[in-house]
Amino acid sequence: MTSPVLQAEGLTKRYGRRTALSDCTLAIPPGRVVGLVGPNGAGKTTLLNLAVGMLTPSAGTIEVLGGHPASGPAQLRKIGYVAQDTPTYAGLSIADHLRFGAHTNPGWDQRVADDRIAQLGLDPAQKAGKLSGGQRAQLALTLALAKRPELLVLDEPVASLDPLARREFLQGLMAYTAEHQTSVILSSHLVSDLERVCDYLIVLVASRVRVAGDADELLASHHRITGARRDAADLPAGVEAIEHSFTERQSTFIVRAAAPIDDPSLTVEKLTLEDLVLAYMSQAATSHRPALETTR
């Protein structure tokens, strides 16, 4: 059996009394493009910083590519990382960045770096401080890809980009991963972007993993069902209510079901990935409300 690209057991990170990540247990298969999605403050950046070794756990364990994060040069060279602000050095040229990458990464692939810069139409002599936000993000991605990592970790790299720049960034990412079979973990709160590129989904809300799995399997097992008003306890056996809404005569549920729902009194509809994500986010938000605010 192939080992997970990332495996966490009870992974927890605390800052004093505040818990940024709580009891996270995951086993991400290799060769996937993983969408890590959740609202701001959910713990996405904390999880990724633990994965690349920038943070250490308060409790639990994490292994990445069979080793402990940042445990030595061999482990570090396996992972490419683009942080949320896609950092570059304003006073250095694009060529300077590539020379720095070649000097600091033993597995550096100059052809990958040069080809990407040429395809993007960038002038190697141009200073990074003069680039647009999209161009800086592409430069940061180029530095990560030319490292030829086994795992690419991206922390909301397109959050501040306009729609065209986001699309170009994701197209470049997918072209590379398709050619080199690189595993990717891509954090974002823009579900529409993830829906185009990801085949594995993790929903993280309020420091906890709410659901994780193959995107197609998750969509196949989740549905919107509508029928005469009833309580969640009266749903068919094996059907778990994730989210609900009621009118005077009708009930609508987002549900997870282990088998097809065979009830002629119910209308069953497919979900989009965004529907699924929002349902779990809503469930988590409802569970954290004070009692006087709960849905009647």
mmCIF file of all heavy atoms in Angstrom, residues 249-291:
data_model
loop_
_atom_site.group_PDB
_atom_site.id
_atom_site.type_symbol
_atom_site.label_atom_id
_atom_site.label_comp_id
_atom_site.label_asym_id
_atom_site.label_seq_id
_atom_site.Cartn_x
_atom_site.Cartn_y
_atom_site.Cartn_z
ATOM 1 N N ARG A 249 -44.409 23.954 5.795
ATOM 2 C CA ARG A 249 -44.828 22.635 5.317
ATOM 3 C C ARG A 249 -43.696 21.789 4.757
ATOM 4 O O ARG A 249 -43.889 20.615 4.461
ATOM 5 C CB ARG A 249 -45.904 22.795 4.231
ATOM 6 C CG ARG A 249 -47.170 23.454 4.723
ATOM 7 C CD ARG A 249 -48.204 23.486 3.619
ATOM 8 N NE ARG A 249 -49.461 24.085 4.085
ATOM 9 C CZ ARG A 249 -50.559 24.211 3.321
ATOM 10 N NH1 ARG A 249 -50.520 23.795 2.050
ATOM 11 N NH2 ARG A 249 -51.655 24.758 3.812
ATOM 12 N N GLN A 250 -42.526 22.369 4.578
ATOM 13 C CA GLN A 250 -41.465 21.657 3.851
ATOM 14 C C GLN A 250 -40.158 21.664 4.629
ATOM 15 O O GLN A 250 -39.844 22.613 5.348
ATOM 16 C CB GLN A 250 -41.256 22.330 2.495
ATOM 17 C CG GLN A 250 -40.190 21.701 1.618
ATOM 18 C CD GLN A 250 -40.120 22.343 0.257
ATOM 19 O OE1 GLN A 250 -40.957 22.116 -0.602
ATOM 20 N NE2 GLN A 250 -39.095 23.176 0.055
ATOM 21 N N SER A 251 -39.403 20.594 4.477
ATOM 22 C CA SER A 251 -38.060 20.490 5.043
ATOM 23 C C SER A 251 -37.054 20.296 3.910
ATOM 24 O O SER A 251 -37.323 19.554 2.960
ATOM 25 C CB SER A 251 -37.953 19.302 6.000
ATOM 26 O OG SER A 251 -38.809 19.451 7.099
ATOM 27 N N THR A 252 -35.901 20.949 4.028
ATOM 28 C CA THR A 252 -34.789 20.750 3.099
ATOM 29 C C THR A 252 -33.552 20.414 3.916
ATOM 30 O O THR A 252 -33.226 21.120 4.880
ATOM 31 C CB THR A 252 -34.534 22.006 2.258
ATOM 32 O OG1 THR A 252 -35.712 22.322 1.511
ATOM 33 C CG2 THR A 252 -33.372 21.782 1.296
ATOM 34 N N PHE A 253 -32.895 19.334 3.541
ATOM 35 C CA PHE A 253 -31.706 18.888 4.255
ATOM 36 C C PHE A 253 -30.545 18.725 3.280
ATOM 37 O O PHE A 253 -30.740 18.296 2.130
ATOM 38 C CB PHE A 253 -31.934 17.520 4.923
ATOM 39 C CG PHE A 253 -32.995 17.504 5.982
ATOM 40 C CD1 PHE A 253 -34.300 17.166 5.672
ATOM 41 C CD2 PHE A 253 -32.672 17.806 7.296
ATOM 42 C CE1 PHE A 253 -35.280 17.130 6.652
ATOM 43 C CE2 PHE A 253 -33.642 17.772 8.290
ATOM 44 C CZ PHE A 253 -34.951 17.437 7.964
ATOM 45 N N ILE A 254 -29.348 19.061 3.729
ATOM 46 C CA ILE A 254 -28.121 18.580 3.093
ATOM 47 C C ILE A 254 -27.696 17.369 3.906
ATOM 48 O O ILE A 254 -27.540 17.467 5.129
ATOM 49 C CB ILE A 254 -26.999 19.636 3.092
ATOM 50 C CG1 ILE A 254 -27.459 20.914 2.392
ATOM 51 C CG2 ILE A 254 -25.737 19.067 2.450
ATOM 52 C CD1 ILE A 254 -27.722 20.782 0.922
ATOM 53 N N VAL A 255 -27.533 16.226 3.251
ATOM 54 C CA VAL A 255 -27.301 14.989 3.987
ATOM 55 C C VAL A 255 -26.106 14.231 3.417
ATOM 56 O O VAL A 255 -25.708 14.425 2.265
ATOM 57 C CB VAL A 255 -28.542 14.060 3.949
ATOM 58 C CG1 VAL A 255 -29.752 14.754 4.537
ATOM 59 C CG2 VAL A 255 -28.822 13.577 2.524
ATOM 60 N N ARG A 256 -25.563 13.362 4.258
ATOM 61 C CA ARG A 256 -24.564 12.393 3.830
ATOM 62 C C ARG A 256 -25.181 11.017 3.975
ATOM 63 O O ARG A 256 -25.727 10.683 5.026
ATOM 64 C CB ARG A 256 -23.300 12.507 4.682
ATOM 65 C CG ARG A 256 -22.171 11.609 4.189
ATOM 66 C CD ARG A 256 -20.870 11.896 4.925
ATOM 67 N NE ARG A 256 -19.751 11.227 4.280
ATOM 68 C CZ ARG A 256 -18.476 11.454 4.595
ATOM 69 N NH1 ARG A 256 -18.165 12.331 5.538
ATOM 70 N NH2 ARG A 256 -17.506 10.817 3.950
ATOM 71 N N ALA A 257 -25.099 10.226 2.911
ATOM 72 C CA ALA A 257 -25.752 8.924 2.915
ATOM 73 C C ALA A 257 -24.787 7.857 2.416
ATOM 74 O O ALA A 257 -24.097 8.054 1.413
ATOM 75 C CB ALA A 257 -26.997 8.940 2.031
ATOM 76 N N ALA A 258 -24.748 6.729 3.109
ATOM 77 C CA ALA A 258 -23.854 5.638 2.732
ATOM 78 C C ALA A 258 -24.363 4.854 1.535
ATOM 79 O O ALA A 258 -23.598 4.145 0.870
ATOM 80 C CB ALA A 258 -23.666 4.702 3.919
ATOM 81 N N ALA A 259 -25.659 4.972 1.234
ATOM 82 C CA ALA A 259 -26.274 4.233 0.123
ATOM 83 C C ALA A 259 -27.271 5.155 -0.571
ATOM 84 O O ALA A 259 -27.662 6.196 -0.021
ATOM 85 C CB ALA A 259 -26.952 2.975 0.658
ATOM 86 N N PRO A 260 -27.717 4.807 -1.786
ATOM 87 C CA PRO A 260 -28.714 5.625 -2.474
ATOM 88 C C PRO A 260 -29.968 5.805 -1.618
ATOM 89 O O PRO A 260 -30.378 4.895 -0.897
ATOM 90 C CB PRO A 260 -29.017 4.819 -3.742
ATOM 91 C CG PRO A 260 -27.776 4.018 -3.972
ATOM 92 C CD PRO A 260 -27.246 3.679 -2.617
ATOM 93 N N ILE A 261 -30.578 6.984 -1.689
ATOM 94 C CA ILE A 261 -31.769 7.288 -0.903
ATOM 95 C C ILE A 261 -32.996 6.880 -1.720
ATOM 96 O O ILE A 261 -33.300 7.489 -2.754
ATOM 97 C CB ILE A 261 -31.814 8.777 -0.541
ATOM 98 C CG1 ILE A 261 -30.574 9.154 0.277
ATOM 99 C CG2 ILE A 261 -33.091 9.116 0.222
ATOM 100 C CD1 ILE A 261 -30.426 10.643 0.517
ATOM 101 N N ASP A 262 -33.662 5.850 -1.268
ATOM 102 C CA ASP A 262 -34.809 5.292 -1.998
ATOM 103 C C ASP A 262 -36.083 5.574 -1.210
ATOM 104 O O ASP A 262 -36.605 4.731 -0.489
ATOM 105 C CB ASP A 262 -34.614 3.790 -2.199
ATOM 106 C CG ASP A 262 -35.691 3.182 -3.094
ATOM 107 O OD1 ASP A 262 -36.375 3.962 -3.792
ATOM 108 O OD2 ASP A 262 -35.857 1.952 -3.078
ATOM 109 N N ASP A 263 -36.563 6.791 -1.309
ATOM 110 C CA ASP A 263 -37.771 7.213 -0.605
ATOM 111 C C ASP A 263 -38.571 8.093 -1.549
ATOM 112 O O ASP A 263 -38.186 9.234 -1.824
ATOM 113 C CB ASP A 263 -37.401 7.964 0.675
ATOM 114 C CG ASP A 263 -38.613 8.331 1.525
ATOM 115 O OD1 ASP A 263 -39.722 8.449 0.962
ATOM 116 O OD2 ASP A 263 -38.445 8.502 2.743
ATOM 117 N N PRO A 264 -39.681 7.581 -2.086
ATOM 118 C CA PRO A 264 -40.447 8.335 -3.090
ATOM 119 C C PRO A 264 -41.030 9.649 -2.559
ATOM 120 O O PRO A 264 -41.434 10.505 -3.356
ATOM 121 C CB PRO A 264 -41.549 7.362 -3.501
ATOM 122 C CG PRO A 264 -41.626 6.364 -2.390
ATOM 123 C CD PRO A 264 -40.262 6.267 -1.819
ATOM 124 N N SER A 265 -41.071 9.828 -1.244
ATOM 125 C CA SER A 265 -41.613 11.066 -0.682
ATOM 126 C C SER A 265 -40.585 12.194 -0.671
ATOM 127 O O SER A 265 -40.922 13.331 -0.338
ATOM 128 C CB SER A 265 -42.115 10.823 0.745
ATOM 129 O OG SER A 265 -41.035 10.586 1.633
ATOM 130 N N LEU A 266 -39.351 11.878 -1.043
ATOM 131 C CA LEU A 266 -38.283 12.860 -1.012
ATOM 132 C C LEU A 266 -37.779 13.171 -2.418
ATOM 133 O O LEU A 266 -37.659 12.269 -3.253
ATOM 134 C CB LEU A 266 -37.112 12.357 -0.166
ATOM 135 C CG LEU A 266 -37.375 12.137 1.327
ATOM 136 C CD1 LEU A 266 -36.178 11.436 1.961
ATOM 137 C CD2 LEU A 266 -37.660 13.464 2.027
ATOM 138 N N THR A 267 -37.483 14.434 -2.673
ATOM 139 C CA THR A 267 -36.804 14.844 -3.899
ATOM 140 C C THR A 267 -35.310 14.928 -3.601
ATOM 141 O O THR A 267 -34.901 15.626 -2.669
ATOM 142 C CB THR A 267 -37.319 16.218 -4.378
ATOM 143 O OG1 THR A 267 -38.720 16.128 -4.636
ATOM 144 C CG2 THR A 267 -36.596 16.641 -5.642
ATOM 145 N N VAL A 268 -34.519 14.204 -4.377
ATOM 146 C CA VAL A 268 -33.079 14.118 -4.125
ATOM 147 C C VAL A 268 -32.330 14.836 -5.244
ATOM 148 O O VAL A 268 -32.551 14.556 -6.429
ATOM 149 C CB VAL A 268 -32.618 12.652 -4.041
ATOM 150 C CG1 VAL A 268 -31.118 12.577 -3.736
ATOM 151 C CG2 VAL A 268 -33.412 11.895 -2.970
ATOM 152 N N GLU A 269 -31.439 15.751 -4.880
ATOM 153 C CA GLU A 269 -30.672 16.520 -5.857
ATOM 154 C C GLU A 269 -29.184 16.410 -5.576
ATOM 155 O O GLU A 269 -28.761 16.240 -4.424
ATOM 156 C CB GLU A 269 -31.069 18.006 -5.799
ATOM 157 C CG GLU A 269 -32.514 18.288 -6.090
ATOM 158 C CD GLU A 269 -32.832 19.768 -5.901
ATOM 159 O OE1 GLU A 269 -32.896 20.213 -4.725
ATOM 160 O OE2 GLU A 269 -32.963 20.482 -6.910
ATOM 161 N N LYS A 270 -28.375 16.539 -6.634
ATOM 162 C CA LYS A 270 -26.926 16.548 -6.485
ATOM 163 C C LYS A 270 -26.464 17.900 -5.943
ATOM 164 O O LYS A 270 -27.142 18.920 -6.083
ATOM 165 C CB LYS A 270 -26.250 16.278 -7.836
ATOM 166 C CG LYS A 270 -26.510 14.894 -8.395
ATOM 167 C CD LYS A 270 -25.783 14.710 -9.719
ATOM 168 C CE LYS A 270 -25.999 13.318 -10.276
ATOM 169 N NZ LYS A 270 -25.301 13.126 -11.591
ATOM 170 N N LEU A 271 -25.279 17.899 -5.350
ATOM 171 C CA LEU A 271 -24.670 19.117 -4.828
ATOM 172 C C LEU A 271 -23.471 19.527 -5.675
ATOM 173 O O LEU A 271 -22.837 18.697 -6.323
ATOM 174 C CB LEU A 271 -24.180 18.904 -3.384
ATOM 175 C CG LEU A 271 -25.198 18.530 -2.325
ATOM 176 C CD1 LEU A 271 -24.488 18.371 -0.983
ATOM 177 C CD2 LEU A 271 -26.298 19.558 -2.225
ATOM 178 N N THR A 272 -23.151 20.799 -5.628
ATOM 179 C CA THR A 272 -21.855 21.259 -6.117
ATOM 180 C C THR A 272 -20.867 21.185 -4.957
ATOM 181 O O THR A 272 -21.253 21.038 -3.790
ATOM 182 C CB THR A 272 -21.928 22.706 -6.616
ATOM 183 O OG1 THR A 272 -22.219 23.565 -5.502
ATOM 184 C CG2 THR A 272 -23.010 22.858 -7.681
ATOM 185 N N LEU A 273 -19.586 21.322 -5.281
ATOM 186 C CA LEU A 273 -18.582 21.328 -4.226
ATOM 187 C C LEU A 273 -18.808 22.500 -3.273
ATOM 188 O O LEU A 273 -18.630 22.375 -2.048
ATOM 189 C CB LEU A 273 -17.180 21.401 -4.842
ATOM 190 C CG LEU A 273 -16.034 20.934 -3.953
ATOM 191 C CD1 LEU A 273 -16.142 19.444 -3.686
ATOM 192 C CD2 LEU A 273 -14.695 21.242 -4.609
ATOM 193 N N GLU A 274 -19.239 23.620 -3.812
ATOM 194 C CA GLU A 274 -19.501 24.780 -2.964
ATOM 195 C C GLU A 274 -20.667 24.519 -2.023
ATOM 196 O O GLU A 274 -20.622 24.893 -0.844
ATOM 197 C CB GLU A 274 -19.770 26.023 -3.813
ATOM 198 C CG GLU A 274 -19.907 27.285 -2.996
ATOM 199 C CD GLU A 274 -19.872 28.541 -3.848
ATOM 200 O OE1 GLU A 274 -20.127 28.445 -5.058
ATOM 201 O OE2 GLU A 274 -19.578 29.617 -3.288
ATOM 202 N N ASP A 275 -21.734 23.870 -2.508
ATOM 203 C CA ASP A 275 -22.851 23.493 -1.639
ATOM 204 C C ASP A 275 -22.359 22.657 -0.464
ATOM 205 O O ASP A 275 -22.748 22.867 0.686
ATOM 206 C CB ASP A 275 -23.890 22.663 -2.409
ATOM 207 C CG ASP A 275 -24.624 23.438 -3.479
ATOM 208 O OD1 ASP A 275 -24.771 24.667 -3.330
ATOM 209 O OD2 ASP A 275 -25.046 22.813 -4.463
ATOM 210 N N LEU A 276 -21.504 21.666 -0.774
ATOM 211 C CA LEU A 276 -21.009 20.749 0.252
ATOM 212 C C LEU A 276 -20.183 21.500 1.288
ATOM 213 O O LEU A 276 -20.362 21.334 2.508
ATOM 214 C CB LEU A 276 -20.192 19.648 -0.419
ATOM 215 C CG LEU A 276 -19.753 18.450 0.421
ATOM 216 C CD1 LEU A 276 -19.545 17.227 -0.485
ATOM 217 C CD2 LEU A 276 -18.447 18.721 1.162
ATOM 218 N N VAL A 277 -19.265 22.328 0.823
ATOM 219 C CA VAL A 277 -18.399 23.077 1.735
ATOM 220 C C VAL A 277 -19.224 24.000 2.627
ATOM 221 O O VAL A 277 -19.031 24.046 3.849
ATOM 222 C CB VAL A 277 -17.357 23.885 0.937
ATOM 223 C CG1 VAL A 277 -16.646 24.893 1.838
ATOM 224 C CG2 VAL A 277 -16.354 22.949 0.296
ATOM 225 N N LEU A 278 -20.166 24.736 2.048
ATOM 226 C CA LEU A 278 -20.970 25.676 2.820
ATOM 227 C C LEU A 278 -21.836 24.961 3.848
ATOM 228 O O LEU A 278 -22.081 25.492 4.939
ATOM 229 C CB LEU A 278 -21.837 26.518 1.884
ATOM 230 C CG LEU A 278 -21.078 27.528 1.021
ATOM 231 C CD1 LEU A 278 -22.021 28.229 0.048
ATOM 232 C CD2 LEU A 278 -20.357 28.556 1.886
ATOM 233 N N ALA A 279 -22.300 23.752 3.530
ATOM 234 C CA ALA A 279 -23.100 22.993 4.484
ATOM 235 C C ALA A 279 -22.293 22.657 5.732
ATOM 236 O O ALA A 279 -22.776 22.813 6.855
ATOM 237 C CB ALA A 279 -23.631 21.715 3.826
ATOM 238 N N TYR A 280 -21.056 22.201 5.542
ATOM 239 C CA TYR A 280 -20.224 21.876 6.697
ATOM 240 C C TYR A 280 -19.805 23.126 7.461
ATOM 241 O O TYR A 280 -19.710 23.104 8.695
ATOM 242 C CB TYR A 280 -19.010 21.060 6.266
ATOM 243 C CG TYR A 280 -19.320 19.594 6.107
ATOM 244 C CD1 TYR A 280 -19.600 19.053 4.863
ATOM 245 C CD2 TYR A 280 -19.369 18.758 7.213
ATOM 246 C CE1 TYR A 280 -19.900 17.708 4.714
ATOM 247 C CE2 TYR A 280 -19.679 17.404 7.080
ATOM 248 C CZ TYR A 280 -19.943 16.889 5.823
ATOM 249 O OH TYR A 280 -20.261 15.560 5.690
ATOM 250 N N MET A 281 -19.577 24.210 6.758
ATOM 251 C CA MET A 281 -19.255 25.461 7.441
ATOM 252 C C MET A 281 -20.442 25.944 8.255
ATOM 253 O O MET A 281 -20.294 26.424 9.388
ATOM 254 C CB MET A 281 -18.818 26.510 6.421
ATOM 255 C CG MET A 281 -17.447 26.237 5.822
ATOM 256 S SD MET A 281 -17.006 27.327 4.445
ATOM 257 C CE MET A 281 -17.084 28.932 5.212
ATOM 258 N N SER A 282 -21.649 25.813 7.701
ATOM 259 C CA SER A 282 -22.853 26.216 8.414
ATOM 260 C C SER A 282 -23.085 25.343 9.637
ATOM 261 O O SER A 282 -23.452 25.830 10.710
ATOM 262 C CB SER A 282 -24.063 26.126 7.473
ATOM 263 O OG SER A 282 -25.262 26.385 8.169
ATOM 264 N N GLN A 283 -22.848 24.031 9.495
ATOM 265 C CA GLN A 283 -23.007 23.112 10.619
ATOM 266 C C GLN A 283 -22.089 23.503 11.768
ATOM 267 O O GLN A 283 -22.487 23.544 12.936
ATOM 268 C CB GLN A 283 -22.701 21.683 10.179
ATOM 269 C CG GLN A 283 -22.817 20.634 11.283
ATOM 270 C CD GLN A 283 -22.142 19.328 10.899
ATOM 271 O OE1 GLN A 283 -21.000 19.320 10.450
ATOM 272 N NE2 GLN A 283 -22.863 18.234 11.046
ATOM 273 N N ALA A 284 -20.838 23.822 11.433
ATOM 274 C CA ALA A 284 -19.873 24.192 12.463
ATOM 275 C C ALA A 284 -20.257 25.513 13.121
ATOM 276 O O ALA A 284 -20.158 25.667 14.337
ATOM 277 C CB ALA A 284 -18.478 24.292 11.862
ATOM 278 N N ALA A 285 -20.729 26.475 12.324
ATOM 279 C CA ALA A 285 -21.122 27.768 12.881
ATOM 280 C C ALA A 285 -22.310 27.612 13.817
ATOM 281 O O ALA A 285 -22.364 28.213 14.893
ATOM 282 C CB ALA A 285 -21.455 28.744 11.753
ATOM 283 N N THR A 286 -23.283 26.781 13.427
ATOM 284 C CA THR A 286 -24.464 26.562 14.257
ATOM 285 C C THR A 286 -24.100 25.918 15.580
ATOM 286 O O THR A 286 -24.600 26.279 16.642
ATOM 287 C CB THR A 286 -25.482 25.678 13.509
ATOM 288 O OG1 THR A 286 -25.867 26.332 12.298
ATOM 289 C CG2 THR A 286 -26.716 25.428 14.353
ATOM 290 N N SER A 287 -23.167 24.964 15.538
ATOM 291 C CA SER A 287 -22.788 24.246 16.758
ATOM 292 C C SER A 287 -22.065 25.134 17.748
ATOM 293 O O SER A 287 -21.980 24.817 18.934
ATOM 294 C CB SER A 287 -21.905 23.047 16.408
ATOM 295 O OG SER A 287 -20.644 23.468 15.928
ATOM 296 N N HIS A 288 -21.548 26.315 17.281
ATOM 297 C CA HIS A 288 -20.819 27.218 18.174
ATOM 298 C C HIS A 288 -21.667 28.405 18.632
ATOM 299 O O HIS A 288 -21.201 29.243 19.377
ATOM 300 C CB HIS A 288 -19.553 27.745 17.477
ATOM 301 C CG HIS A 288 -18.440 26.749 17.455
ATOM 302 N ND1 HIS A 288 -18.412 25.725 16.557
ATOM 303 C CD2 HIS A 288 -17.336 26.615 18.244
ATOM 304 C CE1 HIS A 288 -17.323 24.992 16.778
ATOM 305 N NE2 HIS A 288 -16.660 25.509 17.789
ATOM 306 N N ARG A 289 -22.944 28.452 18.184
ATOM 307 C CA ARG A 289 -23.788 29.567 18.643
ATOM 308 C C ARG A 289 -24.276 29.345 20.074
ATOM 309 O O ARG A 289 -24.494 28.206 20.484
ATOM 310 C CB ARG A 289 -25.032 29.668 17.742
ATOM 311 C CG ARG A 289 -24.767 30.183 16.347
ATOM 312 C CD ARG A 289 -26.042 30.171 15.570
ATOM 313 N NE ARG A 289 -25.810 30.438 14.161
ATOM 314 C CZ ARG A 289 -26.666 30.140 13.193
ATOM 315 N NH1 ARG A 289 -27.806 29.554 13.491
ATOM 316 N NH2 ARG A 289 -26.391 30.438 11.941
ATOM 317 N N PRO A 290 -24.532 30.416 20.822
ATOM 318 C CA PRO A 290 -25.178 30.277 22.113
ATOM 319 C C PRO A 290 -26.582 29.691 21.921
ATOM 320 O O PRO A 290 -27.190 29.819 20.856
ATOM 321 C CB PRO A 290 -25.264 31.717 22.635
ATOM 322 C CG PRO A 290 -24.207 32.457 21.880
ATOM 323 C CD PRO A 290 -24.126 31.801 20.543
ATOM 324 N N ALA A 291 -27.111 29.051 22.949
ATOM 325 C CA ALA A 291 -28.379 28.340 22.849
ATOM 326 C C ALA A 291 -29.510 29.236 22.387
ATOM 327 O O ALA A 291 -30.374 28.820 21.625
ATOM 328 C CB ALA A 291 -28.734 27.723 24.203
#
